Amino acid sequence: MDIAEELDSLTIGRRIRQLRTEQGMTLDDLAAAVGRAPSQLSMIENGRREPKLTMLQAIARALGSTLDALLETEPLDERSALEIALERAMQGQTFRSLGIEPFRVGKSVPTGALKALLALQGEIDRLKDERAATPEEARRANVALRRLMRTQDNYFPELEARARDILAAVDHPGGPLTQRTTSDIAAHLGFTIHYVPDLPQTTRSVADIRHGRLYLSSRLTAKGDPRTAVLQALSSRMLDHSEPRSYAEFLRQRVETNYLAGALLIPEAHAVPFLQEAKKDRAISIEDLRDAYSVSYETAAHRFTNLATVHLGIPVHFLKVHESGTITKAYENDDVNFPTDRLGSIEGQLCCRRWTSRVVFDVDDRFNPYYQYTDTGNGTYWCTARVETSSEGAHSVSVGVRFDDTKWFLGRDTPHRGVSKHSVEVCCRRAPADLEAAWRHNAWPNVRTPRTLLATLPTGAFPGVDTTDVYEFLEAHAPG
């Protein structure tokens, strides 16, 4: 049997070379001792020939060593380890993609040069990993994930089951999740919660897995729901997420994290009867769901899309639109015709200015929900929308259904009507002819480029996160 079938021929070859040079033997000396040509021994030492067991036994005797010593898995010294690593690198994708032909790593190659080549190869691999998520790849990943969500009616039974298990583990009695129970969930997972003023700006939270500490910004308690931040941070631990290897995996993990947090805040077993009763009364309201569970409107809207089709038989759509008109989140399984790019991506497209999600920005009443019927080329839809503010500006969040399903909702008697034909350019993507004639050559706007446009896909396994800041933060806050 060829020994290379079980062991690494590169490691064996470098071990033979090291033992030979330590004993002051030349290649010719060793070749003569084992009755083989020096060229054959050279190929064995360079890992280009798979040595048979009988040959290795002869080499071990000639070197005054043992077969076991030759078959050790660890290289003898740093030089051998560097040579082996470079040999392997030259057979890898990075060197091949650069058109670099493998070369012999001889004794004359300085050790510093080996280290430099390996460092460069490692940096190239790191940069390739960081830049792998091109905007086009991100859009494709987003489209694939949205199709999966549509196929499952945005309902993930395995995540619902995980939420039930967690809630049962902390003896949650049902209904809204309290802040105390949220803390119990953290303790159940082995974490203590710490609010700090110096959380890295590129993060929402940082988990010190080694010491079981979860850090959140002390500013959260003043301007946001601390339960949501804690649950989103812990969801990755509940789901055993590992460092994402692609943008698609990062995106999927983020959706799973948000879903699980929502399932904990608005438990399925309690929320479904609540919604079914509202449907029976023809009084479904996202605001009522929000108020019953003390969550944000966006969380309530998201959670409604999880449960509406599977448990209520109502296809729905969801939109989150920035005040600039850009769609930042979208979901639909009711055949609504959202604008898309050539890849089918909705996110990043301009929402029609006649759609509920845009019209709501011009409504002065921000206390009450805004309702509107919109006639489209794909039928008539009814939507309820609200405007919420964040550090990135105002966003509208809307949930909508087909006309036939409006009968189940509060707000169905709204007088507001709109007509959206965004597939026709003159609907909203092009100015009316008289305005264009008057101003086309007499206007020059200075574009305010959104920061998110220039950094659509920040680099790194966790896009946009400065890992140096994170590591320095954890080092500074680590106990003891």
Side-chain angles (χ1 to χ4, degrees):
M1 176 187 292
D2 285 347
I3 208 69
E5 290 178 7
E6 299 179 357
L7 297 170
D8 184 345
S9 58
L10 267 175
T11 302
I12 295 172
R14 290 305 187 276
R15 186 171 293 279
I16 292 171
R17 178 187 291 176
Q18 177 64 23
L19 289 172
R20 175 177 62 77
T21 55
E22 284 180 354
Q23 301 214 12
M25 295 180 67
T26 66
L27 196 61
D28 289 341
D29 293 336
L30 181 58
V34 298
R36 291 290 188 271
S39 59
Q40 290 180 319
L41 267 296
S42 177
M43 294 182 72
I44 290 174
E45 287 190 355
N46 289 320
R48 293 189 178 90
R49 171 164 292 185
E50 300 170 353
K52 296 184 181 297
L53 185 58
T54 52
M55 172 61 72
L56 284 176
Q57 290 172 331
I59 291 174
R61 287 193 298 271
L63 294 173
S65 184
T66 65
L67 182 63
D68 288 341
L70 293 185
L71 301 186
E72 288 289 337
T73 57
E74 293 297 324
L76 285 175
D77 57 16
E78 180 189 26
R79 171 74 188 199
S80 298
L82 290 171
E83 289 180 358
I84 290 171
L86 186 57
E87 289 274 3
R88 288 173 177 158
M90 286 191 290
Q91 301 301 321
Q93 180 62 36
T94 299
F95 272 74
R96 289 200 301 268
S97 65
L98 294 173
I100 299 176
E101 293 292 331
F103 56 87
R104 180 177 177 275
V105 183
K107 294 184 295 182
S108 61
V109 180
T111 299
L114 300 182
K115 291 181 177 179
L117 286 169
L118 288 169
L120 287 172
Q121 186 254 352
E123 182 65 11
I124 290 171
D125 284 345
R126 185 185 71 81
L127 292 173
K128 284 175 66 177
D129 288 342
E130 286 190 347
R131 287 163 171 75
T134 63
E136 181 170 319
E137 180 188 351
R139 289 196 296 272
R140 290 185 189 279
N142 214 15
V143 169
L145 183 56
R146 185 161 47 79
R147 285 172 179 164
L148 173 65
M149 294 163 68
R150 186 192 300 128
T151 300
Q152 299 189 185
D153 293 322
N154 205 22
Y155 180 82
F156 291 81
E158 68 279 8
L159 297 179
E160 299 287 352
R162 187 67 181 126
R164 286 195 298 272
D165 292 342
I166 292 293
L167 293 172
V170 296
D171 297 322
H172 179 56
L177 192 75
T178 64
Q179 196 162 323
R180 176 181 295 177
T181 306
T182 303
S183 181
D184 290 342
I185 291 175
H188 172 71
L189 296 170
F191 283 88
T192 55
I193 301 172
H194 304 265
Y195 289 96
V196 294
D198 59 337
L199 193 76
Q201 292 186 354
T202 56
T203 66
R204 294 178 179 176
S205 64
V206 175
D208 180 347
I209 300 172
R210 181 190 304 168
H211 300 104
R213 295 162 70 92
L214 178 63
Y215 297 102
L216 299 106
S217 173
S218 55
R219 293 187 292 272
L220 272 176
T221 54
K223 67 176 185 177
D225 183 350
R227 298 172 306 162
T228 301
V230 170
L231 293 174
Q232 286 179 337
L234 293 174
S235 289
S236 290
R237 311 317 313 159
M238 299 180 209
L239 296 170
D240 295 323
H241 284 162
S242 57
E243 184 174 307
R245 293 163 294 181
S246 66
Y247 188 80
E249 187 174 354
F250 166 79
L251 199 61
R252 175 64 183 263
Q253 287 183 2
R254 188 174 66 173
V255 168
E256 290 176 345
T257 295
N258 291 336
Y259 191 110
L260 183 57
L264 291 167
L265 287 166
I266 306 178
E268 179 182 29
H270 190 270
V272 169
F274 176 88
L275 290 171
Q276 288 173 336
E277 187 67 21
K279 182 184 179 184
K280 178 182 175 182
D281 296 337
R282 297 180 178 240
I284 296 175
S285 166
I286 306 301
E287 281 76 18
D288 287 352
L289 188 64
R290 174 200 63 189
D291 296 341
Y293 293 91
S294 300
V295 296
S296 69
Y297 185 83
E298 183 176 352
T299 296
H302 268 299
R303 192 65 179 133
F304 181 75
T305 68
N306 299 150
L307 305 173
T309 306
V310 170
H311 292 292
L312 305 178
I314 303 175
V316 296
H317 66 261
F318 167 93
L319 268 185
K320 184 176 181 181
V321 178
H322 186 258
E323 58 188 335
S324 64
T326 304
I327 298 173
T328 58
K329 291 182 182 178
Y331 165 75
E332 56 81 22
N333 69 344
D334 58 359
D335 298 321
V336 69
N337 186 18
F338 287 145
T340 63
D341 64 13
R342 62 183 181 83
L343 298 175
S345 178
I346 296 172
E347 288 77 6
Q349 298 301 297
L350 276 178
C351 180
C352 178
R353 65 174 61 248
R354 309 186 196 286
W355 195 257
T356 312
S357 304
R358 291 285 298 277
V359 176
V360 69
F361 285 109
D362 298 324
V363 176
D364 292 331
D365 182 1
R366 295 291 171 90
F367 183 78
N368 294 299
Y370 175 74
Y371 308 110
Q372 178 179 305
Y373 288 97
T374 307
D375 297 326
T376 75
N378 220 31
T380 298
Y381 290 84
W382 171 92
C383 298
T384 174
R386 274 193 176 274
V387 174
E388 295 187 326
T389 58
S390 70
S391 59
E392 297 180 355
H395 287 83
S396 70
V397 176
S398 62
V399 174
V401 297
R402 296 180 300 208
F403 179 83
D404 291 345
D405 289 315
T406 308
K407 59 190 175 186
W408 309 117
F409 291 81
L410 291 179
R412 59 185 176 272
D413 56 350
T414 180
H416 301 128
R417 296 289 190 277
V419 178
S420 173
K421 297 180 179 179
H422 60 256
S423 59
V424 180
E425 194 174 61
V426 294
C427 170
C428 57
R429 290 182 294 165
R430 186 171 179 176
D434 55 341
L435 284 177
E436 184 168 5
W439 292 105
R440 175 78 182 269
H441 301 292
N442 294 294
W444 190 270
N446 186 17
V447 178
R448 180 184 177 184
T449 305
R451 175 182 58 83
T452 52
L453 179 62
L454 295 178
T456 304
L457 283 174
T459 60
F462 300 96
V465 173
D466 188 326
T467 53
T468 301
D469 280 352
V470 171
Y471 299 155
E472 288 178 347
F473 168 83
L474 288 173
E475 188 70 20
H477 285 271

